[in-house]
């Protein structure tokens, strides 16, 4: 009412009826807003890496354990003695059923791992303890995504004392105790076959024909005695291997003589382990079929008493490209034959091929494409770049001589001619490209693409055991024809 005095709340009984509002300062507003922003944008706890798959690849050469994951992992490791154990701590990881499944993947016949224990060591660290059967040299490294794989953490367990490849072949019965001297029984009928020496190097090609090393073989079990060779113009038949030996360049060489050494052939089944190679429409993996063919080829070659074979891998595990070449050189191989099954983006591509090394570029765009694809095997299979020896790589790249390529072309032509009797050829001549696996400087080397696994009809052929047998027979016949026409020099006895 007009004239009525205003009564303030604070005048009532000394207490205000409503709380007194203090003026809100600008600082208070800014402080509250900052707190709100911090609560909204504060970083969330880091998510643990996810293990996508675990794989174990046991082999005599080494055992590999692979953890595939969605991010790059950091791991530390140490060796503990008495008993031998490998302890690995992986950061940023939590125990999952996938990781626990590693325990069941260790096989009882693994040469190096007895068992593995997996546990959550700290809230963010998983510890793996590998109980070992023997002392090992572990290689622990990571691989960036490649091919079908994401990030991978790799444990390679190598033996401390690497096996001597020649000693291993002797133990398996693939190598005579005295490789430098194998007497031939004089009672046998004279039917010598040219045996090789070291690969012909520069300046030796002309001398090779003048100084061949000949071998008069004994009949292999289940095979008839060696017959007189067919005329040179007689077409080759893959199933006539046992009846037709390689011809000798000179009848005077038919005289019985002492064998100075055996023929050593290095067979290289491509891919393996982490690297499956090409895949067929029905799921046939290149690494599986080429290993099967290589084993059949090994059996047939060893039916001839003057031949022995070394496989660069005899199981499902990965071997780096350079290591394949080194293995062949360690056993002083006379030939290197790499076996593959081709694939192309178009399923209509078909036919078998034989390739040799080229120093001047690929003989065709298709050969270049294929070489680039095969040379990616180290990225997919997984090579520890810190363990890679650049000096060895330089030697393998730089020492490929014209003589080696010349001999390889002769071998390739002999083998291709025989394969053409059992399958259509993709191209009627030997092709050339920069295949890393063919770069041994002193060994004639070829790469056989047995068929296109990407072609449904040829994939079915590759599955067929009869085709695998015929292919192996054809390759053996081609190898024998090569040695008959190109007898290389003898080499010194293996120490």
């Amino acid at each position: 009412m007009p004239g009525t005095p205003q009564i303030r709340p604070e005048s009532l009984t000394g207490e205000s009826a409503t709380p007194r509002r203090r003026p809100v300062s600008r600082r208070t507003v800014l402080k509250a807003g900052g707190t709100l922003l911090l609560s909204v944008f504060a970083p969330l706890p880091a998510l643990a890496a996810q293990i996508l798959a675990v794989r174990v690849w046991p082999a005599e050469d080494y055992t590999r354990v692979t953890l595939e994951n969605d991010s790059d992992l950091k791991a530390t490791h140490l060796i503990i003695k008495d008993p031998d154990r490998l302890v690995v701590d992986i950061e940023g990881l939590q125990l999952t059923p996938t990781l626990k499944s590693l325990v069941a993947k260790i096989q009882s016949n693994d040469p190096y791992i007895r068992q593995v224990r997996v546990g959550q060591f700290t809230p963010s660290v998983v510890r793996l303890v590998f109980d070992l059967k023997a002392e090992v040299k572990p290689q622990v490294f990571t691989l960036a995504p490649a091919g079908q794989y994401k990030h991978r953490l790799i444990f390679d367990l190598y033996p401390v004392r690497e096996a001597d490849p020649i000693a291993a072949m002797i133990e398996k019965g693939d190598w005579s105790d005295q490789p430098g001297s194998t007497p031939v029984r004089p009672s046998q009928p004279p039917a010598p076959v040219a045996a090789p020496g070291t690969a012909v190097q520069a300046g030796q090609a002309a001398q090779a024909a003048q100084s061949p090393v000949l071998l008069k073989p004994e009949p292999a079990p289940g095979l008839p005695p060696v017959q007189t060779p067919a005329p040179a113009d007689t077409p080759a038949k893959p199933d006539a291997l046992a009846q037709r030996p390689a011809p000798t360049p000179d009848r005077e060489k038919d005289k019985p003589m002492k064998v100075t050494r055996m023929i050593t052939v290095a067979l290289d089944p491509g891919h393996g382990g982490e690297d499956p190679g090409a895949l067929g429409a029905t799921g046939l993996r290149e690494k599986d079929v080429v290993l099967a063919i290589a084993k059949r080829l090994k059996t047939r070659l060893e039916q001839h008493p003057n031949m022995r074979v070394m496989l660069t891998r005899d199981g499902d595990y990965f071997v780096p490209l350079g290591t394949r070449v080194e293995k062949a050189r360690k056993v002083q191989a006379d030939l290197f034959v790499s076996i593959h099954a081709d694939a192309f983006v178009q399923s209509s591509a078909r036919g078998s091929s034989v390739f040799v090394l080229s120093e001047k570029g690929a003989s065709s765009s298709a050969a270049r494409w294929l070489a680039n694809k095969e040379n990616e095997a180290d990225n997919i299979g997984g090579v520890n770049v810190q363990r890679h020896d650049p000096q060895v790589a330089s030697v393998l790249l730089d020492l490929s001589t014209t003589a080696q390529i010349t001999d390889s072309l002769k071998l390739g032509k002999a083998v291709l001619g025989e394969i053409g009797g059992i399958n259509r050829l993709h191209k009627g001549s030997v092709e050339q490209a920069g295949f890393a696996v063919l770069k041994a400087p002193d060994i004639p080397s070829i790469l056989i693409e047995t068929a296109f696994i990407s072609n449904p009809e040829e994939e079915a052929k590759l599955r067929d055991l009869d085709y695998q047998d015929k292919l192996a027979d054809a390759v053996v016949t081609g190898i024998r024809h090569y040695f008959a026409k190109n007898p290389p020099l003898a080499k010194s006895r293996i120490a």
Side-chain angles (χ1 to χ4, degrees):
M1 299 180 73
T4 303
Q6 297 276 336
I7 300 176
R8 297 181 178 275
E10 56 265 29
S11 65
L12 298 176
T13 63
E15 296 182 2
S16 54
T18 58
R20 181 178 179 181
R21 297 174 180 264
R22 296 182 180 180
V24 178
S25 66
R26 181 182 179 190
R27 178 177 298 179
T28 303
V29 172
L30 292 175
K31 184 176 180 181
T35 303
L36 178 62
L37 288 173
L38 288 174
S39 65
V40 172
F41 293 102
L44 297 174
L47 295 176
Q50 296 297 313
I51 298 296
L52 305 176
V54 295
R55 296 181 289 274
V56 181
W57 308 100
E60 291 184 7
D61 291 17
Y62 72 107
T63 289
R64 166 168 290 189
V65 178
T66 300
L67 305 185
E68 186 179 357
N69 46 88
D70 62 355
S71 61
D72 194 13
L73 295 178
K74 182 179 179 181
T76 57
H77 69 280
L78 73 154
I79 289 288
I80 300 177
K81 307 294 294 181
D82 300 324
D84 290 322
R85 286 158 289 165
L86 170 64
V87 179
V88 181
D89 286 340
I90 309 173
E91 299 181 12
L93 200 61
Q94 292 183 353
L95 199 56
T96 62
T98 302
L99 191 53
K100 289 180 180 179
S101 69
L102 177 61
V103 175
K105 291 183 181 291
I106 303 300
Q107 302 176 16
S108 60
N109 61 347
D110 190 301
Y112 304 107
I113 303 176
R114 189 179 308 279
Q115 65 177 1
V116 63
R117 291 169 281 153
V118 183
Q120 192 74 49
F121 186 59
T122 70
S124 62
V125 174
V126 166
R127 169 165 287 186
L128 310 180
V129 179
F130 295 92
D131 296 321
L132 305 174
K133 294 180 179 179
E135 190 178 2
V136 300
K137 294 183 297 184
Q139 300 285 335
V140 179
F141 57 99
T142 58
L143 295 172
Q148 65 190 39
Y149 299 119
K150 297 199 175 189
H151 295 272
R152 284 173 289 172
L153 177 61
I154 303 289
F155 315 122
D156 284 349
L157 278 58
Y158 290 91
V160 171
R161 297 175 182 83
E162 296 184 5
D164 184 313
I166 295 178
M169 293 181 74
I170 292 174
E171 184 177 352
K172 293 179 180 179
D174 297 339
W175 198 284
S176 63
D177 292 334
Q178 295 182 342
S181 177
T182 305
V184 176
R185 297 176 184 175
S187 59
Q188 291 180 323
V193 176
T198 49
V200 181
Q201 300 184 18
Q204 294 180 335
Q207 302 175 16
Q210 301 174 4
S211 304
V213 180
L214 303 177
L215 172 65
K216 182 162 65 63
E218 298 178 0
L223 294 179
V226 178
Q227 304 293 322
T228 303
D233 57 351
T234 302
K237 295 182 180 179
D239 58 351
L241 171 63
Q243 289 76 26
R244 185 181 62 191
T248 57
D250 190 340
R251 289 186 178 275
E252 293 183 359
K253 304 299 188 295
D254 290 347
K255 298 177 182 178
M257 63 178 298
K258 186 178 182 179
V259 177
T260 57
R261 66 181 184 82
M262 301 284 283
I263 300 173
T264 304
V265 180
L267 297 181
D268 174 49
H271 308 282
E274 288 288 290
D275 178 17
L279 298 176
T282 64
L284 182 64
R285 300 183 300 188
E286 180 181 6
K287 68 174 182 177
D288 297 329
V289 69
V290 298
L291 179 60
I293 292 172
K295 288 182 176 180
R296 279 176 158 73
L297 180 54
K298 179 178 187 290
T299 298
R300 281 159 174 74
L301 285 170
E302 290 176 342
Q303 286 177 343
H304 300 275
N306 64 318
M307 289 188 177
R308 58 195 168 198
V309 176
M310 185 274 294
L311 290 172
T312 59
R313 69 175 181 96
D314 57 5
D316 187 10
Y317 56 96
F318 176 71
V319 181
L321 298 176
T323 303
R324 296 169 187 263
V325 179
E326 291 174 17
K327 283 188 169 188
R329 300 190 74 200
K330 284 181 179 179
V331 298
Q332 300 184 14
D334 301 295
L335 294 182
F336 182 91
V337 180
S338 192
I339 304 171
H340 293 257
D342 207 351
F344 195 62
V345 292
Q346 297 177 348
S347 61
S348 58
R350 62 182 302 171
S352 302
S353 305
V354 175
F355 294 85
V356 303
L357 183 65
S358 171
E359 290 184 313
K360 301 179 180 179
S363 57
S364 68
S365 57
R368 183 183 305 108
W369 178 86
L370 180 62
N372 291 337
K373 182 173 70 71
E374 296 293 0
N375 291 344
E376 291 177 352
D378 279 356
N379 295 331
I380 299 173
V383 174
N384 184 3
V385 293
Q386 295 180 350
R387 189 172 181 264
H388 183 62
D389 188 343
Q391 184 175 0
V392 171
S394 176
V395 170
L396 295 178
L397 289 172
D398 298 339
L399 291 186
S400 298
T401 64
T402 302
Q404 185 261 22
I405 293 177
T406 299
D407 287 343
S408 299
L409 284 167
K410 293 177 182 178
L411 171 63
K413 184 177 179 180
V415 172
L416 186 68
E418 298 299 326
I419 293 177
I422 64 167
N423 192 36
R424 174 181 176 177
L425 297 180
H426 185 66
K427 190 173 181 179
S429 60
V430 177
E431 296 199 71
Q432 293 183 257
F435 291 90
V437 78
L438 301 181
K439 293 182 178 179
D442 50 0
I443 307 174
S445 305
I446 62 173
L447 185 146
I448 302 174
E449 292 288 356
T450 54
F452 274 87
I453 198 172
S454 54
N455 181 296
E457 293 181 8
E458 295 205 333
E459 182 190 14
K461 277 188 174 183
L462 290 170
R463 282 187 184 276
D464 184 62
L465 300 184
D466 183 59
Y467 177 78
Q468 293 182 13
D469 288 337
K470 290 180 178 179
L471 183 64
D473 287 340
V475 175
V476 174
T477 303
I479 289 175
R480 294 191 66 193
H481 283 184
Y482 165 77
F483 280 132
K485 297 178 181 179
N486 304 277
L489 294 173
K491 61 184 176 183
S492 59
R493 177 174 175 173
I494 299 172

